[in-house]
C-alpha cells in the first residue's frame, strides 16, 4: 500500500454531496432556515434520512443533504468548548467585516445589502433537496413532514433551474473538478513538479491527511456516553473526531447580469456578435462550448475524468505569455494549473538554484502559488430562467426575475481553499503581475486606495503589446452567503440526539 | 544610486502614560489600519524619502512560554518601537524628521521612560536606536522619488496607448518601442514627465559595502578550520535540541485574530510585526545569529533585485533583537493578505522560514534546521498569528502599488533608456505595458 494509506473511508458515513453532484436529479432547491425549537429541530433531524456517499444501483431518484452554520450548531445546543474546535472562519462567518473586505464583498456586494446571511439574517441550517423533476414536489413535502414548521423558520428558499450544463452567462460549466483521492494513495507531503488533478482526501474531508500530509484542525472530544458512536481521530485514537467524514460547505448566491455582460461584449466588439463571443471566451478562459483556449495536452494529466479529457486535459505551460488564455481570465485565475516549481523537469542543481531565487528571470515568471493547496469541489446550481446571449442584447421585460448561480463548494480548510481563491486570485487586482483588474466575471470594480481603476481586462498579445479592455461593469452581485459545516451521518446523529 | 537605510527607536513605555500613548497613536489614524499621512503629530507625507514607517507597542503575550523549559518568565517593560525605511543616510533623515515632526515626536516619546522635557530629541532617538541584525530591501537604490516618477511614467504610457490604440496596437515591437521612446522624450522636454538621473553612490557607503561583501566570507574562510572541527559537535547538539524542544502552537485567540484582521487589507500591502523569545541556550543563540547574518549577507550582496529567494512580494523586512538577546522582533511590509503571504512562504521558501524562525520558543518541530517545521501548516499559522503584534500606526509612501508593480515600472523605464533593443527584447518589454 502507499506510504500514507490508512483506514478506508466508510462511504455510508459521508454525506453524498461530497462524492456526487447528483447530475441526473435535475430539480433541486436549497432551504435556509433558522432553528425555531431546538427540540423539534432535533426530532426532525433524527427522523429524516440523509443521503450517504454509498453508490446505489440504480441511482436514487431523490437525495437530501444537510449542513449547519456556527450559529446553527449553537442553536442546537452544541457547547462553546466543542465549537471552539471549529475553524476561525466558520465561527466568524462570511459576513464578518474584515473577512468581507478580504473577500472583496464591498460596494453592492457588501453583506449589509445581502438578502440572507447578513447579521441578523444568518441561516442556521441549509437543507438541500435534490430529485428527478417528477418526484421533486412530493419529495420536498414528504421530507419536511409535520414537524418542519415547528422546528424551523424559513429565511430563504433558493430554487434552481436546469440549464443543461451551462451557467447563466451561456458558457458550459462544471468541466473542471478535482479528483478526490478516496483510496488515499497519494503520498503527502510531496513535491509536485507537474500539474495533477488528483488531490489528497484531506483537502475535502476532515479527519484525513491533506496536501501537507497533516490533518486539518477540528474538535477532538473525550469519549463519553453521548459520543460513543463517533469515530476515533486518525491522529489520536484516544479521542473522538466529531468532524471526521464531514467537511465545510461555502455557499454564495451570485446574481448574474447576463444582459449587462452581453451588451458590454457586443458594444466592445462593435456590433459583431462573433467577436463578442470571442471576447467573452477570453474573459472566461473557455469558449461557450467549454473548449479551453489552449490546446489539449497529449500527455495525460493524472486524475482527469476520461469523459472530460478533451476539455480538461491541459495546462498553461505552452502559453507563458497569456496570448491564448489571458492571465486574468476567470478559469486561469481560479486554477492556474501549475506545479510546485516554475520549471517542469529541473535537474537537482537547477532545482536548488530555483529554490534560492535564481530561477527564470522573466517579469511574469513564478508569480503564483502552487494550485494543489487551493482546490475546491464545486457543487452549486444555477437559478433563474435561461437567457440565450442573442436575446440578452435586448432590454429586460418589466419584472424579469433574477438569474445567477447558487455557488456551493466543499473544502476542508475554508481559509486556505475558498478564501484564498477568492482573495488572492479572484478579487486581487495585482494577480499574476497584472494591475487595475480583478476577475472579469466576479470582480467588484471597486477602487482601492492609490488605484482608482480596477475595471480593466488585459488580453496579452502574441508578440508584445496587449489589448486592454477598459470599463468593465460589475456583472455579478453577491446576494447572500454563509459558511456551513456538513457533518458525517454519525455526527449528524450526535447533533440530533436529545 | 541612493542606498536605503533604516532606523528603529526602541524605548520602554512609562506605565502611567501607556493609555495616553495609545490615544496619541490612535489619533494619527483615519480608521483602523489607515493612517492619515498628513496627521499633526508625525506628518509622514512630508518626507519624500520615507518609504515605510510604523509605531508598534510591543505587547508580547508570549513571554510565559519560557516556562516550557522550566525557567521563570522575566518581567519585561512594555516597549514602544518606531521604525522607518528610507533613502539615504539614517542620521540625516532623523535630523530632517525632527525639524518638521519634532513637536509630535516629543509628545509621543514623553510617554517613554527617561524622556524629560529637556531631553535632546535627536540624541535620545540615536541613543535608543536598535540596529537590525538582518535587513532586506526589495530593490537596492530605488528611491521614493524614483518610485513616484516611474509610476507616473507608466500611467502616461498607458494613457498614450489608450489614446492611440488603433495605431499603436498594429506596430511591430521595435517600432512600438521607438514610438514610445519618442513620446516619452517629448513629454520629458515639455516637463510633463520627470525621470531624475540616479545620484552618485556615496563613496563611504561603497567602501563599507565592499568591505562587508569581501570581509564576511573572508572571516568565515579564516575561521573555517575551527568551524569544520566544531561542526559535528554543533550538529549533534542541534539534533538533540530539535528532538527535545517543545512545540507550542495553541490556536490563536479569536479576539486577537480579529484585532489583527481589522487593521489588515486596507491597501494591497500589509505590515507584519511578529515577536517572540528565543529558545534558551548558546546553541540556539549562535544559530540565530549565524542564520540571520547569512540572510543579511544574501540580502545585501546576492539576491536578485525584487526577489528574496522566490518571493517577490516583500518590500522591506528586518530582524531585530529587543533589548538583549532573549527576544526578537521581525517586521516586514508585504503584498497581499496574510494568508497568501504565509502560503507563498511555506510553499516557496519553507527552508528559509524554518532557518530564520525555528529558534523561537514553541516553533513547530524542525529537522536539520530547514526541514519540516512550517510544513505543518496549521501549527505554523497559529504560531505566527499568536506571535503577531497589532501595529498602532503604519505608513506607506505609495498606496496601491505592489512590489511587482514597482518592478514593472522600473523595468519599463530601464527599457526606455536602453539605446536599442532586439525584436525579442522589445517584445518582452512591450508585454509588461
Amino acid at each position: 500500500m502507499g506510504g500514507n494509506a490508512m483506514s478506508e473511508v466508510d462511504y455510508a458515513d459521508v454525506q453524498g454531496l461530497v462524492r456526487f453532484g447528483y447530475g441526473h436529479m435535475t430539480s433541486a432547491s436549497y432551504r435556509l432556515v433558522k432553528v425555531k425549537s431546538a427540540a423539534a429541530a432535533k426530532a426532525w433531524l433524527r427522523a429524516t434520512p440523509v443521503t450517504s456517499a454509498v453508490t446505489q444501483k440504480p441511482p436514487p431518484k431523490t437525495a437530501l443533504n444537510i449542513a449547519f452554520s456556527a450559529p446553527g450548531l449553537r442553536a442546537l445546543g452544541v457547547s462553546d468548548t466543542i465549537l471552539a474546535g471549529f475553524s476561525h472562519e466558520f465561527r466568524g462567518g462570511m459576513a464578518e467585516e474584515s473577512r468581507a473586505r478580504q473577500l472583496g464583498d464591498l460596494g453592492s456586494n457588501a453583506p449589509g445589502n445581502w438578502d440572507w446571511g447578513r447579521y441578523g439574517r444568518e441561516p442556521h441550517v441549509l437543507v438541500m433537496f435534490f430529485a428527478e423533476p417528477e418526484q421533486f414536489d412530493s419529495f420536498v413535502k414528504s421530507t419536511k413532514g409535520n414537524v418542519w414548521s415547528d422546528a424551523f423558520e424559513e429565511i430563504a428558499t433558493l430554487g434552481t433551474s436546469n440549464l443543461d450544463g451551462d451557467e447563466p452567462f451561456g458558457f458550459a460549466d462544471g468541466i473542471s473538478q478535482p479528483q478526490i483521492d478516496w483510496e488515499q494513495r497519494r503520498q503527502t507531503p510531496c513535491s509536485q513538479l507537474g500539474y495533477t488533478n488528483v488531490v489528497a482526501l484531506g483537502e475535502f474531508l476532515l479527519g484525513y491527511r491533506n496536501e501537507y500530509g497533516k490533518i486539518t484542525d477540528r474538535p477532538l472530544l473525550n469519549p463519553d456516553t453521548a459520543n460513543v458512536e463517533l469515530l476515533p481521530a486518525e491522529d489520536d485514537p484516544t479521542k473522538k473526531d466529531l468532524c471526521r467524514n464531514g467537511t465545510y460547505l461555502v455557499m454564495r448566491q451570485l446574481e448574474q447580469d447576463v444582459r449587462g455582460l452581453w451588451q458590454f461584449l457586443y458594444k466592445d466588439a462593435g456590433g459583431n456578435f462573433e467577436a463578442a463571443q470571442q471576447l467573452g471566451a477570453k474573459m472566461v478562459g473557455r469558449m461557450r462550448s467549454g473548449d479551453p483556449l489552449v490546446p489539449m495536452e497529449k500527455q495525460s494529466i493524472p486524475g482527469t475524468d476520461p469523459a472530460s479529457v478533451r476539455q480538461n486535459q491541459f495546462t498553461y505551460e505552452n502559453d507563458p505569455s497569456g496570448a491564448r488564455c489571458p492571465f486574468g481570465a476567470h478559469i486561469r485565475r481560479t486554477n492556474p494549473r501549475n506545479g510546485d516549481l516554475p520549471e517542469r523537469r529541473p535537474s537537482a542543481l537547477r532545482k536548488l538554484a530555483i529554490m534560492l531565487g535564481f530561477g527564470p528571470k522573466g517579469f511574469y515568471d513564478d508569480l503564483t502559488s502552487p494550485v494543489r493547496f487551493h482546490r475546491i469541489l464545486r457543487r452549486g446550481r444555477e437559478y433563474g430562467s435561461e437567457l440565450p446571449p442573442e436575446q440578452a442584447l435586448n432590454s429586460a421585460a418589466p419584472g424579469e426575475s433574477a438569474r445567477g448561480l447558487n455557488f456551493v463548494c466543499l473544502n476542508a480548510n475554508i481559509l486556505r481553499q475558498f478564501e484564498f481563491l477568492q482573495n488572492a486570485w479572484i478579487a486581487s487586482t495585482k494577480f499574476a503581475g497584472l494591475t487595475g483588474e480583478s476577475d472579469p466575471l466576479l470582480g467588484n470594480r471597486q477602487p482601492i486606495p492609490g488605484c482608482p481603476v480596477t475595471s480593466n481586462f488585459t488580453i496579452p498579445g502574441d508578440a508584445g503589446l496587449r489589448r486592454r479592455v477598459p470599463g468593465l461593469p460589475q456583472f455579478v452581485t453577491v446576494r447572500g452567503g454563509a459558511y456551513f459545516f456538513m457533518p458525517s451521518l454519525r455526527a449528524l446523529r450526535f447533533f440530533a440526539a436529545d | 544610486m541612493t542606498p536605503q537605510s533604516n532606523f528603529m527607536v526602541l524605548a520602554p513605555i512609562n506605565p502611567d502614560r501607556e493609555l495616553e500613548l495609545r490615544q496619541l497613536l490612535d489619533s494619527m489614524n483615519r480608521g483602523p489600519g489607515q493612517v492619515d499621512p498628513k496627521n499633526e503629530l508625525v506628518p509622514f507625507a512630508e518626507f519624500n524619502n520615507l518609504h515605510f514607517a510604523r509605531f508598534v507597542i510591543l505587547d508580547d503575550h508570549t513571554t510565559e512560554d519560557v516556562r516550557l523549559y522550566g525557567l521563570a518568565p522575566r518581567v519585561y517593560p512594555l516597549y514602544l518601537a518606531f521604525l522607518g525605511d528610507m533613502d539615504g543616510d539614517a542620521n540625516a533623515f532623523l535630523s530632517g524628521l525632527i525639524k518638521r515632526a519634532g513637536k509630535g515626536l516629543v509628545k509621543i516619546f514623553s510617554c517613554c521612560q527617561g524622556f524629560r522635557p529637556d531631553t535632546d530629541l535627536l540624541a535620545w532617538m540615536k541613543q535608543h536606536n536598535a540596529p537590525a541584525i538582518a535587513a532586506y530591501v526589495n530593490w537596492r537604490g530605488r528611491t521614493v522619488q524614483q518610485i513616484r516618477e516611474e509610476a507616473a511614467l507608466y500611467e502616461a504610457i498607458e494613457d498614450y496607448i489608450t489614446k492611440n490604440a488603433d495605431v499603436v496596437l498594429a506596430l511591430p515591437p521595435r517600432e512600438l518601442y521607438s514610438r514610445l521612446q519618442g513620446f516619452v522624450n517629448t513629454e520629458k522636454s515639455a516637463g510633463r514627465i520627470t525621470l531624475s538621473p540616479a545620484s552618485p553612490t556615496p563613496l563611504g557607503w561603497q567602501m563599507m559595502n565592499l568591505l562587508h561583501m569581501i570581509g564576511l566570507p573572508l572571516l568565515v574562510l579564516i575561521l573555517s578550520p575551527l568551524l569544520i572541527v566544531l561542526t559535528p559537535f554543533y550538529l549533534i547538539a542541534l539534533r538533540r535540541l530539535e528532538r527535545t524542544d517543545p512545540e507550542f502552537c495553541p490556536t490563536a485567540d479569536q479576539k486577537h485574530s480579529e484585532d489583527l484582521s481589522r487593521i489588515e487589507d486596507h491597501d494591497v500591502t500589509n505590515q507584519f510585526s511578529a515577536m517572540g523569545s528565543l529558545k534558551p541556550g548558546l546553541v540556539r543563540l549562535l544559530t540565530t545569529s549565524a542564520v540571520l547574518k547569512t540572510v543579511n549577507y544574501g540580502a545585501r550582496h546576492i539576491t536578485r533585485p525584487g526577489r528574496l529567494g522566490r518571493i517577490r512580494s516583500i518590500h522591506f523586512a528586518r530582524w531585530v533583537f529587543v533589548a538583549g538577546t532573549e527576544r526578537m522582533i521581525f517586521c516586514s511590509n508585504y503584498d497581499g493578505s496574510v494568508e497568501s503571504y504565509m502560503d507563498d512562504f511555506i510553499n516557496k521558501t519553507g527552508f528559509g522560514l524554518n532557518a530564520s524562525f525555528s529558534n523561537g520558543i514553541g516553533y513547530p518541530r524542525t529537522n536539520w534546521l530547514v526541514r519540516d517545521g512550517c510544513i505543518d501548516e496549521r501549527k505554523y499559522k497559529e504560531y505566527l498569528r499568536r506571535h503577531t503584534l497589532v501595529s498602532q500606526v503604519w505608513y506607506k509612501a505609495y498606496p496601491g502599488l505592489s512590489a511587482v508593480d514597482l518592478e514593472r515600472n522600473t523595468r519599463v523605464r530601464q527599457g526606455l533608456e536602453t539605446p536599442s533593443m532586439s525584436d525579442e527584447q522589445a517584445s518582452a518589454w512591450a508585454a509588461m505595458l
Side-chain angles (χ1 to χ4, degrees):
Chain A
M1 275 311 277
N4 285 329
M6 289 170 298
S7 31
E8 235 189 86
V9 178
D10 178 12
Y11 291 121
D13 193 33
V14 180
Q15 288 204 44
L17 196 63
V18 185
R19 206 167 171 215
F20 311 116
Y22 306 134
H24 65 288
M25 293 182 232
T26 54
S27 295
S29 84
Y30 307 109
R31 312 260 157 166
L32 295 156
V33 302
K34 258 187 145 86
V35 169
K36 224 176 6 184
S37 147
K42 289 185 183 192
W44 183 83
L45 288 169
R46 283 195 301 273
T48 307
V50 162
T51 310
S52 81
V54 169
T55 315
Q56 294 176 49
K57 288 191 168 60
K61 294 190 195 293
T62 64
L64 181 81
N65 287 121
I66 302 179
F68 304 89
S69 66
L73 289 180
R74 214 171 277 122
L76 288 179
V78 175
S79 73
D80 281 339
T81 323
I82 294 179
L83 270 173
F86 286 83
S87 71
H88 283 292
E89 312 81 61
F90 174 70
R91 286 180 285 143
M94 193 191 279
E96 196 266 312
E97 192 184 339
S98 300
R99 184 159 291 112
R101 186 170 64 250
Q102 287 175 353
L103 297 178
D105 289 342
L106 303 165
S108 52
N109 289 344
N113 300 322
W114 291 358
D115 295 333
W116 60 270
R118 64 173 190 269
Y119 280 139
R121 271 176 78 70
E122 296 112 322
H124 287 173
V125 191
L126 167 66
V127 184
M128 299 173 272
F129 298 90
F130 304 89
E132 290 183 4
E134 324 77 53
Q135 322 256 0
F136 188 74
D137 289 330
S138 55
F139 174 61
V140 172
K141 191 149 176 264
S142 62
T143 306
K144 280 181 168 182
N146 301 325
V147 196
W148 177 272
S149 42
D150 293 326
F152 302 121
E153 172 204 333
E154 297 197 3
I155 294 187
T157 296
L158 306 181
T160 67
S161 21
N162 176 18
L163 299 182
D164 278 318
D166 282 356
E167 53 73 52
F169 285 135
F171 289 81
D173 193 16
I175 296 165
S176 170
Q177 290 276 32
Q179 184 181 88
I180 303 180
D181 181 24
W182 290 100
E183 290 87 36
Q184 303 164 77
R185 291 206 202 98
R186 192 160 160 69
Q187 282 266 30
T188 54
C190 60
S191 181
Q192 189 73 41
L193 295 177
Y195 172 67
T196 174
N197 204 37
V198 184
V199 185
L201 179 61
E203 294 289 302
F204 303 104
L205 217 57
L206 289 163
Y208 300 90
R209 295 196 187 280
N210 57 26
E211 282 289 316
Y212 283 105
K214 305 284 178 181
I215 302 186
T216 304
D217 246 31
R218 67 272 185 244
L220 297 178
L221 314 180
N222 289 319
D224 66 25
T225 47
N227 60 42
V228 71
E229 215 206 335
L230 293 179
L231 294 172
E234 200 70 54
D235 48 349
D236 185 357
T238 66
K239 297 272 201 309
K240 295 287 191 170
D241 189 346
L242 176 61
C243 296
R244 186 174 172 140
N245 292 333
T247 189
Y248 287 108
L249 184 154
V250 177
M251 182 161 194
R252 284 160 76 76
Q253 185 183 346
L254 303 177
E255 185 176 305
Q256 295 175 242
D257 184 2
V258 180
R259 293 188 193 272
L261 174 71
W262 286 102
Q263 286 169 16
F264 175 79
L265 293 174
Y266 192 68
K267 181 152 171 258
D268 188 88
N272 178 331
F273 190 67
E274 186 53 46
Q277 291 191 88
Q278 282 172 14
L279 179 57
K282 287 285 187 182
M283 285 190 190
V284 172
R286 288 186 189 271
M287 316 273 279
R288 282 182 58 196
S289 61
D291 288 344
L293 300 180
V294 295
M296 185 183 117
E297 204 128 309
K298 288 193 196 66
Q299 189 171 40
S300 73
I301 293 171
T304 308
D305 180 2
S308 69
V309 160
R310 196 178 57 79
Q311 292 183 329
N312 202 26
Q313 187 167 289
F314 66 93
T315 65
Y316 300 106
E317 263 177 29
N318 295 320
D319 187 26
S321 64
R324 298 185 113 126
C325 181
F327 297 126
H330 177 68
I331 73 160
R332 194 163 181 168
R333 274 181 185 264
T334 53
N335 186 357
R337 298 178 177 242
N338 52 16
D340 288 4
L341 292 177
E343 284 168 25
R344 183 77 96 94
R345 281 181 203 85
S347 64
L349 213 60
R350 179 74 182 149
K351 200 169 164 189
L352 182 65
I354 292 173
M355 275 169 56
L356 292 174
F358 298 98
K361 295 198 260 194
F363 174 70
Y364 290 106
D365 289 330
D366 201 12
L367 280 170
T368 316
S369 305
V371 71
R372 65 188 170 103
F373 303 102
H374 310 294
R375 300 298 301 272
I376 53 173
L377 191 65
R378 292 175 298 147
R379 290 285 188 240
R381 297 217 177 184
E382 298 72 37
Y383 67 94
S385 62
E386 187 178 356
L387 180 60
E390 296 82 357
Q391 291 170 29
L393 299 177
N394 309 323
S395 319
E400 180 179 62
S401 40
R403 51 181 60 83
L405 176 66
N406 291 315
F407 171 83
V408 173
C409 81
L410 306 178
N411 49 195
N413 187 329
I414 299 176
L415 179 63
R416 171 159 67 72
Q417 295 170 262
F418 165 72
E419 285 191 358
F420 182 93
L421 277 183
Q422 181 68 29
N423 164 273
W425 289 353
I426 290 176
S428 169
T429 58
K430 306 290 181 182
F431 171 75
L434 298 165
T435 187
E437 59 186 88
S438 54
D439 186 280
L441 300 180
L442 296 171
N444 62 27
R445 321 295 185 227
Q446 294 291 305
I448 55 177
C451 248
V453 172
T454 63
S455 54
N456 289 332
F457 178 67
T458 300
I459 303 173
D462 259 317
L465 199 61
R466 78 301 180 277
R467 177 156 95 87
R468 190 156 288 146
V469 182
L472 262 61
Q474 186 177 346
F475 298 127
V476 172
T477 309
V478 183
R479 291 287 181 220
Y483 291 144
F484 298 94
F485 171 64
M486 190 164 75
S488 66
L489 271 65
R490 288 169 197 264
L492 193 55
R493 288 192 287 273
F494 173 81
F495 292 139
D498 281 313
Chain B
M1 63 101 172
T2 309
Q4 281 62 48
S5 54
N6 59 58
F7 71 88
M8 179 192 279
V9 173
L10 195 64
I13 300 169
N14 183 342
D16 296 330
R17 302 186 69 176
E18 184 192 328
L19 184 60
E20 179 190 339
L21 175 62
R22 286 186 186 275
Q23 285 168 342
L24 277 173
L25 296 177
D26 268 341
S27 75
M28 295 166 73
N29 291 325
R30 279 198 287 239
Q34 300 149 88
V35 75
D36 175 4
K38 302 203 179 108
N39 74 83
E40 282 173 351
L41 284 170
V42 184
F44 299 109
E46 290 190 20
F47 306 99
N48 58 15
N49 50 0
L50 179 66
H51 289 258
F52 288 90
R54 78 178 81 161
F55 283 93
V56 196
I57 294 176
L58 306 190
D59 209 352
D60 179 10
H61 287 292
T62 68
T63 53
E64 298 274 314
D65 290 1
V66 76
R67 286 189 198 277
L68 292 163
Y69 290 87
L71 297 169
R74 238 190 256 285
V75 177
Y76 298 103
L78 187 65
Y79 280 90
L80 170 69
F82 171 42
L83 4 49
D85 296 283
M86 61 275 179
D87 304 315
D89 174 61
N91 287 328
F93 176 78
L94 288 178
S95 303
L97 177 71
I98 284 165
K99 275 209 185 75
R100 263 173 295 174
K103 282 214 186 77
L105 288 171
V106 165
K107 275 200 189 136
I108 291 168
F109 292 131
S110 298
C111 300
C112 295
Q113 288 177 19
F115 194 98
R116 280 176 291 275
D118 60 345
T119 301
D120 178 339
L121 181 60
L122 184 60
W124 185 88
M125 285 178 73
K126 284 185 186 172
Q127 195 191 354
H128 284 83
N129 189 47
I133 181 170
Y136 168 72
V137 174
N138 181 286
W139 200 284
R140 293 182 286 282
R142 187 174 56 202
T143 62
V144 176
Q145 181 184 40
Q146 182 182 347
I147 287 171
R148 290 178 175 155
E149 287 178 356
E150 288 171 357
L153 170 69
Y154 180 75
E155 288 299 321
I157 292 179
E158 290 305 306
D159 201 52
Y160 177 81
I161 293 174
T162 307
K163 291 202 171 87
N164 298 282
D166 298 328
V167 178
V168 151
L169 280 166
L171 293 174
R174 282 173 80 185
E175 274 187 54
L176 166 73
Y177 167 72
S178 307
R179 174 77 68 113
L180 288 172
Q181 254 189 337
F183 163 70
V184 171
N185 286 332
T186 311
E187 294 296 287
K188 273 164 86 170
S189 310
R192 285 188 290 266
I193 287 181
T194 315
L195 292 173
S196 311
S199 309
T201 314
L203 198 61
W205 182 88
Q206 282 193 63
M207 283 175 54
M208 290 301 297
N209 204 43
L210 195 64
L211 223 68
H212 186 263
M213 182 166 80
I214 299 173
L216 207 63
L218 202 63
L219 188 65
V220 171
L221 201 64
I222 290 169
L223 291 175
S224 55
L226 183 64
L227 292 172
I228 289 170
V229 166
L230 287 176
T231 297
F233 296 101
Y234 167 75
L235 288 175
I236 291 169
L238 179 70
R239 287 300 293 143
R240 186 171 30 89
L241 286 172
E242 284 187 324
R243 276 190 279 266
T244 56
D245 276 327
E247 286 181 340
F248 189 58
C249 312
T251 310
D253 176 55
Q254 180 88 348
K255 178 169 184 304
H256 176 66
S257 192
E258 284 167 6
D259 287 343
L260 289 171
S261 295
R262 200 169 301 120
I263 60 169
E264 288 169 354
D265 303 311
H266 295 279
D267 185 277
V268 295
T269 308
N270 277 302
Q271 54 74 34
F272 182 75
S273 317
M275 185 162 179
S277 303
L278 252 63
K279 289 170 172 155
L282 192 61
V283 173
R284 287 296 188 178
L285 181 59
L286 288 176
T287 308
T288 305
S289 299
V291 166
L292 291 179
K293 284 197 160 55
T294 309
V295 169
N296 189 51
Y297 187 86
R300 267 181 89 163
H301 306 294
I302 303 178
T303 56
R304 277 188 188 151
R307 281 150 217 260
L308 178 59
R310 288 174 65 193
I311 308 295
R312 292 168 66 179
S313 58
I314 302 180
H315 292 257
F316 290 87
R318 66 176 97 169
W319 286 259
V320 186
F321 276 110
V322 178
T325 57
E326 286 169 357
R327 297 197 298 168
M328 175 161 267
I329 186 170
F330 170 72
C331 297
S332 77
N333 301 283
Y334 67 95
D335 297 319
S337 73
V338 69
E339 178 58 27
S340 50
Y341 181 48
M342 287 313 138
D343 187 78
D344 244 4
F345 260 94
I346 294 173
N347 296 148
K348 293 182 176 172
T349 354
F351 68 91
L353 271 179
N354 287 338
S356 357
F357 295 116
S358 65
N359 298 300
I361 295 179
Y363 191 84
R365 193 168 311 284
T366 54
N367 287 299
W368 301 101
L369 201 62
V370 295
R371 304 191 61 180
D372 302 308
C374 64
I375 304 295
D376 197 332
E377 160 234 5
R378 197 282 306 175
K379 275 189 194 151
Y380 170 70
K381 285 172 182 173
E382 295 295 344
Y383 178 85
L384 221 61
R385 212 71 175 132
R386 184 168 165 264
H387 285 263
T388 306
L389 304 169
V390 172
S391 291
Q392 277 67 34
V393 177
W394 178 69
Y395 168 74
K396 173 187 173 195
Y398 20 93
L401 294 178
S402 68
V404 170
D405 282 334
L406 302 186
E407 178 179 337
R408 180 201 314 110
N409 298 346
T410 298
R411 286 203 196 200
V412 166
R413 182 239 185 108
Q414 283 174 347
L416 280 169
E417 291 175 349
T418 312
S420 72
M421 278 197 189
S422 68
D423 273 328
E424 206 185 313
Q425 287 172 322
S427 205
W429 179 82
M432 290 192 289
L433 298 172

